[in-house]
Structures are given as C-alpha cells and as structure tokens.
C-alpha cells in the first residue's frame, strides 16, 4: 500500500493548502488536478488541463476553471462534452460522479451568467447527488459541491442559506479550511464584521502551514489587517 499511502498523504496535505508538499507525494497528474480543484486554484488548474485531451475529467476541470475565470463560452463547450459522455460509465460511484459534475458545472455557468433562478436549483441538485456517492480514500469527489453552492448563494446575497449549506458541508469535510474561508467571506459580505474576523482567524489556524502564496491566505490576512 506504499503508493496508496503516499497518494493519500498528498491529498491530506492538499486539504491544508500545502500544495507544494502535496505535489511531491502524489504520483500522477490526475491527482494533482484534483488537488488544484479542491483548493479552487482556477488559473493553475486550467493551465494543467488546457491540452489534456477530451476525457470527462479534463472536460470538467477545464469547464469549471474557465467558468470561474470568466470564460463562459469555453465552459459551455466543456459542459457539452460532459453531456456527450453521459451514460458511458455505469453504476455507483462513476455515474453519480458524472451527474454531479454536470449539475455543478451547469449551475455555475448559469449563476455566473446572472441566472441564479436556474443555476441555484442545479447546484442544490448537485449537493443531493454528491451525497449518494460511495465513500473511498481518497474521496472520489474531493471538493464538496456545498462550497460551490454556498459561494453562488453568497454572490446572490442569500447569506443565511449560504451559511446553512456550509454548516452541512462541515459534516462532510470536518474542519475544512476552505469551508471556514467561505464562512468568513459570507459574513464579510453580509456586513457581520466580528463573525467574519473570527472565521478568518479560524481559517488561518486550520491552514497555518499552508503555502504563503495561496490566494485565500493572502486575502484572509489582508482582511484581518484592515480590521486592525
């Protein structure tokens, strides 16, 4: 199990924002792509899969990264590829992974097109479908769609529901730094300065060994400095 243990160790480090250390341990590019997706490093993820072929994995990563970087036309093209691959994998977990990916990418594209009325229900469905995926180590679906849903709810100023979704996400990824970061961003946008401060501090505690150049780390430190 040596290779598996190195792989899982790398994934664990990725959860802590320790990407450089994680990449020294994981044994294949696909896992590295998963880690970049896990920590929402959209520029690095897009660069990694830009010329990676047309597998469903690459299509999803290109699509989700393109959407977050503002290239919705490219994201829609990748969603089309995902839909064309529908049904080629059967059974749990692969069919459920495919369905979750399609719902999540479609929902993100709609929300970032300011069609929250259509996009948010798709993302809620993605969370429900994700909950049916079997458990595996490392997880089959490393980035819970709760984070995407909560972020889009934040953008739509549905702060109370966003916090509820993140609380639910913490039951899937206990003590996840990325979730505490989003909790802080929701409180910040809602004008709850003290709650945002506490959440940013909690995030930086959980990610205390993270790479210092992680965007979330820089943003959290900047937000706390402004508060001082």
């Amino acid at each position: 199990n040596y290779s598996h243990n190195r792989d899982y160790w790398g994934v664990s480090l990725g959860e802590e924002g320790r990407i450089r250390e994680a990449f020294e341990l994981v044994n294949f590019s696909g896992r590295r792509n998963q880690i970049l997706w896990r920590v929402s490093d959209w520029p690095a993820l897009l660069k990694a899969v830009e010329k990676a072929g047309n597998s469903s994995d690459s299509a999803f990563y290109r699509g989700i990264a393109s959407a977050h970087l503002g290239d919705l036309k490219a994201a829609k093209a990748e969603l089309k590829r995902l839909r064309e691959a529908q049904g080629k994998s059967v059974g749990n977990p692969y069919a459920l992974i495919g369905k979750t990916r399609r719902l999540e990418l479609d929902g993100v594209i709609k929300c970032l097109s300011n069609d929250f009325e259509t996009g948010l229900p798709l993302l809620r469905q993605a969370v429900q479908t994700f909950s049916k995926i079997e458990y595996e180590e490392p997880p089959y679906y490393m980035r819970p769609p709760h984070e995407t849903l909560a972020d889009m709810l934040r953008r739509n100023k549905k702060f109370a529901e966003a916090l509820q979704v993140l609380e639910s996400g913490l039951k899937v990824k206990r003590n996840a730094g990325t979730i505490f970061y989003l909790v802080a961003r929701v409180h910040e946008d809602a004008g709850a300065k003290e709650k945002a401060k506490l959440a940013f501090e909690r995030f930086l505690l959980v990610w205390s060994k993270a790479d210092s150049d992680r965007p979330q780390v820089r943003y959290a430190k900047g937000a706390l400095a402004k508060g001082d």
Side-chain angles (χ1 to χ4, degrees):
N1 288 331
Y2 177 72
S3 296
H4 167 78
N5 293 342
R6 282 179 60 95
D7 191 42
Y8 202 4
W9 187 7
V11 168
S12 180
L13 290 171
E15 286 283 349
E16 299 179 61
R18 299 162 67 177
I19 308 305
R20 283 189 288 271
E21 292 175 87
F23 278 15
E24 291 176 2
L25 288 165
V26 294
N27 294 317
F28 56 97
S29 61
R31 185 67 77 201
R32 292 174 185 154
N33 295 340
Q34 287 181 318
I35 291 171
L36 292 173
W37 168 54
R38 178 70 193 96
V39 298
S40 308
D41 193 337
W42 309 124
L45 178 59
L46 185 59
K47 183 178 180 180
V49 298
E50 203 164 16
K51 299 178 181 179
N54 292 322
S55 70
S56 58
D57 287 349
S58 298
F60 175 68
Y61 293 137
R62 277 196 300 266
I64 204 77
S66 296
H68 280 94
L69 293 172
D71 190 347
L72 297 180
K73 181 178 179 180
K76 290 175 182 177
E78 300 303 333
L79 176 60
K80 181 180 178 182
R81 288 192 178 94
L82 278 181
R83 286 173 170 161
E84 288 171 350
Q86 184 173 353
K88 292 184 179 179
S89 295
V90 295
N92 188 31
Y94 299 106
L96 291 172
I97 290 172
K99 183 178 180 181
T100 305
R101 283 175 167 176
R102 291 188 295 273
L103 288 166
E104 184 169 359
L105 180 53
D106 196 7
V108 166
I109 291 170
K110 295 290 196 308
C111 287
L112 293 180
S113 301
N114 291 317
D115 183 5
F116 291 100
E117 186 176 351
T118 305
L120 290 175
L122 290 169
L123 292 174
R124 293 186 186 106
Q125 289 180 51
V127 170
Q128 294 173 356
T129 306
F130 165 82
S131 69
K132 300 174 184 177
I133 297 174
E134 292 176 4
Y135 176 76
E136 185 52 87
E137 298 178 353
Y140 285 119
Y141 207 93
M142 288 175 57
R143 186 177 187 272
H146 303 67
E147 296 185 23
T148 302
L149 172 58
D151 191 36
M152 296 302 137
L153 287 165
R154 175 183 70 88
R155 294 170 189 247
N156 196 221
K157 302 186 184 303
K158 295 182 180 295
F159 303 124
E161 185 182 353
L163 291 171
Q164 290 175 353
V165 170
L166 291 170
E167 184 178 351
S168 177
L170 283 170
K171 296 177 182 178
V172 178
K173 291 280 187 181
R174 297 183 185 277
N175 217 32
T178 50
I179 294 181
F180 289 127
Y181 175 77
L182 285 171
V183 168
R185 293 296 304 272
V186 172
H187 285 311
E188 182 183 50
D189 284 5
K193 294 182 180 180
E194 187 58 31
K195 290 181 178 179
K197 177 178 180 292
L198 292 173
F200 278 130
E201 289 174 344
R202 181 68 178 274
F203 160 69
L204 289 173
L205 177 63
V206 173
W207 269 32
S208 60
K209 296 182 180 180
D211 299 340
S212 59
D213 59 353
R214 287 289 98 203
Q216 297 96 325
V217 172
R218 292 201 306 266
Y219 188 95
K221 289 182 176 179
L224 290 174
K226 289 179 184 177
D228 294 339

